[in-house]
Amino acid sequence: MSSFFFVLLFFGLELNYSLSIEIKKPTEKGLDEWKQYTSLDGREYFYNEALDKSSWIKPSQLVNNQHDSALIQHVSSKSIKELSVTRYFHRAAHRPSEDDITLALQCDVSRVGLLLGHAKRWKGPISVAILTTVHDIEKLTSIISTANSEFVRSVDIHVATTTEAWEHYPINKMRNIALSDVESKWVFVLDIDEDTIFSMSEYKSEINNAISKNSDINPSKTVFAITSWQYASEVKDSYPTSKSSLLSLWENKVVTTKAPHFQTAYVPEIGLKEWAEMKSAVTTPYHDLYEPYYIRRTAKTPEFDPQFVGWGGNKAIQAFAMAIEGYRFVLLPNVFSFVSDTPQTSLNHKPPANPKLPEHVWSQMGKRRGCDTCLPISCVKSCPWLLPYSSQTGKVSAVKVDLVKVDSPILQTTQQETKQKVQILEEPVLMLADKNNNINNHFESETEHIVVKSDNHNNIPLPSKN
């Protein structure tokens, strides 16, 4: 009976683009089960697993200052029961060319108005996923009907509809929806409240210059990262519109890097002063919890993990996935994004929805590659996968190997039998090896069995981290 139910659920997901999630109801016992955690940016918060609710406020303060009924209402978690996706709710009048950069955005219906500014400034294709309730569809239709010509020409809208309100915005599901139908070769992953400042043509010029001046860049395995900025203390009437104007405002402490309390997220490893002096693109080492906005090739890039909802690790986990798959982070010198926030207003968001999720996902990603030490805040300094940024020189090596995918583990088979069962994966990857160059002979993912083809590999010694 149980298996039959999940089969039906699977086909329902495939055919209707719908998502069923259990709604947890608060219990009296749950009120006493709060535990303290630390978010990825170092702030303390509290989480109640029974209620599936997190809060920046100390629970004892809630109990002392509110009636129990009010507390239950405050901490109750309302999850999305069903999410149905309508592809191309609005289809852009002009289709993108192959070499265009599609701006991939996502938001709920309350922020749709921001799309008008994006369309006017970007002057290129935009793919946006919009989350709304069935009651707000008319509002969305009204906005589209009065949109400017740039919007009508350039914006594809995919609508995710739910019958209920939500506690935590399913941000990574929405990102994946926006990315799923991108037609151009390049995509720019950005959040709706970030301003691109520059047009698509200016970003295309930056990328073309980076590739032409760096013969060792493989566009298919490169993340073209940008720096991101905000106001330092108070919001002004206008944005910086060039790198020179930005640097002038930075020198006068009018602007600062995005999320200055958590600089590891948006400040590149090479540093902002180095970026300020850059005239051409340079490689910047990946570091723990680095999550820049970026442009990359549309095809074959890891998806955003849909388990992450709301704030906390949702973008960082995808950057980590790209790093361990060998993507190179190249910093663009003359473009940047900007958000109309201050350090105080940028903290106005809910705490993480699930405090156990980041460590679990980072750990599982590492284990599937033979590493037992992956953690969100301390991976790079101890991980030989992330060449050349590991400090483990002399203790382990990284070995580039070919992988083969098989339907079942290979035990004793002839060469002919193996050829029939085995499909060699497209690109070599890095695996862990000890000082004797021995590597794990296999590991399992959730959906397939992977075996190392160890007769074709080259040892790559790990350099020191300077």
Side-chain angles (χ1 to χ4, degrees):
M1 179 99 179
S2 171
S3 298
F4 179 71
F5 170 77
F6 282 111
V7 169
L8 288 178
L9 178 60
F10 172 78
F11 281 103
L13 283 168
E14 288 295 307
L15 296 176
N16 300 320
Y17 297 97
S18 62
L19 175 69
S20 295
I21 301 176
E22 178 185 1
I23 300 178
K24 297 184 179 180
K25 297 182 178 180
T27 63
E28 292 295 332
K29 181 181 178 182
L31 296 176
D32 300 324
E33 296 178 351
W34 292 90
K35 293 183 179 180
Q36 183 172 322
Y37 293 89
T38 302
S39 65
L40 293 179
D41 67 352
R43 288 181 288 164
E44 293 182 352
Y45 68 103
F46 303 89
Y47 177 70
N48 187 310
E49 187 171 3
L51 300 178
D52 189 23
K53 176 67 183 182
S54 53
S55 174
W56 295 117
I57 306 172
K58 191 174 182 179
S60 61
Q61 293 174 340
L62 292 173
V63 173
N64 292 336
N65 298 328
Q66 302 180 52
H67 297 297
D68 286 348
S69 60
L71 174 59
I72 293 174
Q73 183 178 10
H74 179 85
V75 301
S76 62
S77 176
K78 196 164 189 179
S79 303
I80 296 175
K81 184 178 181 180
E82 186 175 276
L83 189 66
S84 297
V85 178
T86 302
R87 303 286 179 182
Y88 295 104
F89 184 87
H90 173 269
R91 183 183 286 269
H94 178 76
R95 303 318 301 165
S97 65
E98 183 183 11
D99 289 333
D100 281 347
I101 304 172
T102 297
L103 183 61
L105 305 169
Q106 38 68 38
C107 65
D108 62 30
V109 71
S110 69
R111 291 186 155 192
V112 172
L114 295 174
L115 280 173
L116 303 178
H118 277 296
K120 186 175 182 179
R121 193 158 15 257
W122 184 242
K123 294 180 172 58
I126 298 175
S127 175
V128 59
I130 299 175
L131 180 64
T132 183
T133 65
V134 292
H135 310 293
D136 286 328
I137 288 293
E138 289 187 9
K139 179 192 296 186
L140 177 58
T141 303
S142 176
I143 294 173
I144 294 173
S145 67
T146 59
N148 55 37
S149 58
E150 291 90 349
F151 184 103
V152 174
R153 173 182 169 82
S154 304
V155 179
D156 285 333
I157 294 179
H158 312 292
V159 174
T161 310
T162 176
T163 57
E164 304 178 63
W166 52 88
E167 176 72 13
H168 296 286
Y169 175 69
I171 186 166
N172 278 357
K173 291 187 180 73
M174 300 302 291
R175 283 177 172 141
N176 289 336
I177 292 170
L179 290 167
S180 61
D181 289 306
V182 169
E183 297 176 19
S184 63
K185 184 165 61 177
W186 298 95
V187 64
F188 185 179
V189 178
L190 198 69
D191 287 333
I192 192 74
D193 54 350
E194 291 283 328
D195 197 309
T196 63
I197 302 297
F198 308 93
S199 67
M200 178 189 70
S201 62
E202 291 170 283
Y203 279 90
K204 285 176 68 174
S205 178
E206 284 282 281
I207 290 178
N208 289 336
N209 287 338
I211 294 173
S212 65
K213 294 178 180 179
N214 295 273
S215 58
D216 59 336
I217 285 181
N218 175 4
S220 297
K221 297 287 284 187
T222 299
V223 176
F224 292 97
I226 62 171
T227 59
S228 301
W229 302 78
Q230 64 179 64
Y231 294 109
S233 58
E234 58 179 326
V235 175
K236 304 295 182 180
D237 293 332
S238 61
Y239 289 172
T241 57
S242 65
K243 184 175 181 178
S244 60
S245 63
L246 173 74
L247 295 179
S248 177
L249 292 171
W250 184 37
E251 183 179 356
N252 291 305
K253 300 183 179 180
V254 176
V255 303
T256 183
T257 183
K258 182 180 172 73
H261 71 287
F262 188 43
Q263 293 197 5
T264 186
Y266 296 100
V267 175
E269 184 75 8
I270 66 170
L272 292 176
K273 290 184 178 180
E274 288 77 3
W275 176 79
E277 297 173 356
M278 280 170 47
K279 304 300 181 184
S280 58
V282 301
T283 297
T284 184
Y286 172 80
H287 60 252
D288 288 317
L289 299 180
Y290 185 43
E291 51 174 358
Y293 296 111
Y294 62 82
I295 297 170
R296 44 86 168 170
R297 285 284 179 87
T298 303
K300 299 182 181 180
T301 305
E303 285 193 336
F304 286 88
D305 190 328
Q307 298 177 91
F308 287 81
V309 297
W311 177 86
N314 54 68
K315 192 150 55 71
I317 186 61
Q318 201 250 3
F320 175 67
M322 291 190 292
I324 62 176
E325 289 192 16
Y327 280 77
R328 177 180 178 181
F329 288 74
V330 173
L331 192 62
L332 298 177
N334 299 310
V335 289
F336 55 89
S337 68
F338 198 92
V339 63
S340 186
D341 265 345
T342 66
Q344 185 58 43
T345 58
S346 64
L347 297 177
N348 293 339
H349 54 73
K350 296 182 177 71
N354 184 345
K356 300 178 181 179
L357 182 62
E359 183 172 325
H360 171 74
V361 174
W362 257 268
S363 175
Q364 290 301 308
M365 290 176 68
K367 287 179 179 178
R368 283 198 288 269
R369 291 160 175 82
C371 176
D372 294 323
T373 61
C374 282
L375 292 173
I377 61 173
S378 60
C379 184
V380 172
K381 64 183 180 182
S382 60
C383 183
W385 280 77
L386 299 173
L387 295 173
Y389 320 121
S390 174
S391 60
Q392 296 295 305
T393 304
K395 297 181 180 179
V396 295
S397 295
V399 175
K400 183 175 290 187
V401 298
D402 290 334
L403 295 186
V404 295
K405 181 167 61 178
V406 296
D407 296 328
S408 59
I410 297 177
L411 298 177
Q412 297 291 331
T413 61
T414 66
Q415 186 174 1
Q416 183 176 4
E417 290 173 336
T418 301
K419 186 175 181 180
Q420 293 173 345
K421 294 181 180 180
V422 172
Q423 173 188 353
I424 298 179
L425 300 187
E426 292 184 3
E427 297 185 18
V429 300
L430 297 178
M431 289 291 288
L432 299 185
D434 61 23
K435 63 182 180 180
N436 295 319
N437 219 23
N438 297 316
I439 55 179
N440 293 338
N441 66 345
H442 78 275
F443 67 94
E444 295 182 31
S445 70
E446 296 176 358
T447 58
E448 60 193 14
H449 214 88
I450 306 294
V451 178
V452 174
K453 184 181 177 184
S454 56
D455 61 346
N456 181 16
H457 65 269
N458 297 303
N459 183 51
I460 307 173
L462 290 173
S464 300
K465 182 178 180 181
N466 295 324

